Amino acid sequence: MALAGTLEKVRNIGIMAHIDAGKTTTTERILYYTGVSHRMGEVDDGTAQMDWMVQEQERGITITSAATTCFWRDHQINIIDTPGHVDFTIEVERSLRVLDGAIAVFCGVGGVEPQSETVWRQADRYHVPRVAFVNKMDRVGADFDRAVGMMYSRLNGNPAPIQFPFVEDDELKGIVDLLAMRLMVYDEDTLGQRSEARPIPDAALDEARVRRDRLIDIVAEYDEEMLGNYVDNRSRIDEPQIRRALRRATIDLKAVPVLCGAAFRNKGVQPLIDAVVDFLPSPLDVPPIAGTEQGGKQAGRKADDREPLSALAFKIMSDPFVGQLTYVRVYSGTLRAGETVYNATKKVRERIGRLLRMHANKREEIRDLGAGDIGAVAGFRATTTGDTLSDEKHAIVFESMQFPVPVVSIAIEPKTKADQDKLAVTLQKLAIEDPSFRVKVDDETGQTIISGMGELHLEIIVDRLMREFRVNANVGRPMVAYKETVARPASAEGRYIRQTGGRGQYGHVILRVEPAGQGKGCSFDQGIAAGKIPKEFVPAVRAGVREAMENGVLAGYPVVDVRAVLVDGSSHEVDSTEIAFKIAASMAFKDACEAADPVLMEPIMQTELVTPDEFAGAVIKDFNGRRGKIERTESRAAVQVIGGAMPLAESFGYATAIRSLSQGRATYTMQFSHYAPLPRNLSDQLVTRLRGVDVAFEAKAVRT
């Protein structure tokens, strides 16, 4: 541990936001002002330290979360800069899982945008306290109060603004600090390193007093002394009281301090770092992490080097010089280089080769990682994302992470025989790195199918294959990851009877399938009267049903949201076997689904369009033509914001189309929302086409 092991002076934070809200730019300013870097990196120039991948520098977006460490006011701040694009939401998910606090960055013009909502909900799920930073206040159309209002209405948050922008002649002149009641003006000649505290101008003084009273209203209940002063005489409430109460409210997830500035113009970043130190929790301020010990007993681990070791592996990365790196957050105890630890999730021992503190893609070798620290381990072989590392004598398993379901697939094949083995090995490495990326081989066609969160996600994967791993491959067109379900209950019988010269095979199963409800997943229940099927064969029936669910009856897509119930069956004293019941169950499930009015389900994307007023008509017409449903519209400073839902199948090539309709001025964002039934006419066309492909493939195989 740095800082002589003073855990109260450690902050583990993430920076999260919608794409292009300014996360990486803000991070670069933090690194510059804290002395980690000696020149400011710029996203647009491809010089940002945290965007170190070639693909990030070319596209000007963050693709993978990057970790670094800096120091401010004698505090150690471990920072993870996360992506804003929805295709890489897994990076935000696994980062928030191990962080104690977060900075939520919002665009002053856009306010709360779609991905802002997604990352906010993720932070809610993991109970992560946060501060908000309304960025880009220098832009035309920026509205601080509107952004704060959207935090109330869209995020159900309780924003507590501790600053507001001082704008004069449509220019951001400074930032009013409501805690110290002063105006902060930043010196542009020193890139914002020097600032001056001035009295608040008369034009903004009344507004500042009203806003300060509103802040006191929000936080007064979190400090007894402050509450007494609030009731007696507000003028007796001083800055330390407000800071103390606001810190407690922030850690309890009851309030979110809101700051503002313009990171690109070097304004307002230093108070943001101060807010991280003042309001976000140290590892000592968060509750002990809960887990399950051997025997299913619930237990917790406190942030203490003297406690038994416990750590969570939250990210895997392939490093060309070190090999596989495993990012870990240590919750208790100490990790030491050269020692052996126990992977309690997989029940294997792992040896720590080297311990590293990461600065984006640069490495600093260290001897140990203490409680509350974040670092990387080289040398692990079996550990993957979400695994718990612990002391073998005091083994504990933490709750695993939730990984999103891929919605887009493409077929990929090696160009040459030499690339064939390299492709399989490389795809496996990438799948270990990224749990939202899946690889499978189609049993019918023999094709390798890769699946991801969107077109950009798969584009980056293929780009890395060719550049980083030097694998040449041919790639097919994107395909939608459809699902199948049933519309009504139905029952069917499955019999598997084979008689040979010796012992035969006998399995007889009657199953009922029924809709489980959207988002409920698949389940198997045993409704049969005891004795009809011996209990030792029931697991085989369950396995047969699970296997059949992987390939539906309409077009071979996975079956979702279906409940299967074992209602009857029979067995033979001699010939019944597990494999016979497994096959019979699979047959019964498929026949029952055929009779239960099977339905194809398609992924629906939540979409937000921002278009200049003059192109709104054409953009809306095109959106409706793609089976889109408009849910809301909003006028905003000469632009229209259109929110709605569009099927993923209609979104391919949409970027080009919307640019053509708006002379390149409209933008849009999409994120996966839910699955919905595909209209019957389109379903029939798709099934006919897919079955035609299968017939043609079989005919070609016969000719070959």
Side-chain angles (χ1 to χ4, degrees), residues 17-68:
H18 184 86
I19 190 170
D20 202 32
K23 294 178 307 303
T24 303
T25 301
T26 302
T27 308
E28 292 297 318
R29 270 48 181 181
I30 291 174
L31 296 182
Y32 179 73
Y33 295 134
T34 55
V36 173
S37 61
H38 300 290
R39 66 180 295 270
M40 287 184 182
E42 300 293 355
V43 174
D44 294 341
D45 300 338
T47 57
Q49 288 190 47
M50 304 302 279
D51 286 350
W52 56 271
M53 292 176 63
V54 176
Q55 293 83 358
E56 292 177 317
Q57 294 167 357
E58 289 179 346
R59 292 166 175 79
I61 62 171
T62 302
I63 292 170
T64 184
S65 56
T68 190

Side-chain angles (χ1 to χ4, degrees), residues 435-447:
S436 66
F437 169 66
R438 312 279 171 85
V439 183
K440 73 169 187 176
V441 176
D442 191 298
D443 294 332
E444 296 182 3
T445 65
Q447 285 182 307

Side-chain angles (χ1 to χ4, degrees), residues 424-450:
V425 171
T426 303
L427 288 177
Q428 191 61 35
K429 281 184 181 178
L430 292 171
I432 291 173
E433 277 190 33
D434 184 354
S436 66
F437 169 66
R438 312 279 171 85
V439 183
K440 73 169 187 176
V441 176
D442 191 298
D443 294 332
E444 296 182 3
T445 65
Q447 285 182 307
T448 299
I449 307 296
I450 60 175

Side-chain angles (χ1 to χ4, degrees), residues 37 140 153 197 225 243 245 247 279 296 348 357 419 462 531 574 620 660 681 684:
S37 61
V140 175
S153 59
E225 181 186 354
R243 289 187 182 276
R247 175 178 175 80
F279 305 123
V348 296
R357 193 181 299 285
D419 290 315
V462 172
V574 178
I620 290 174
S660 300
N681 62 324
D684 293 342

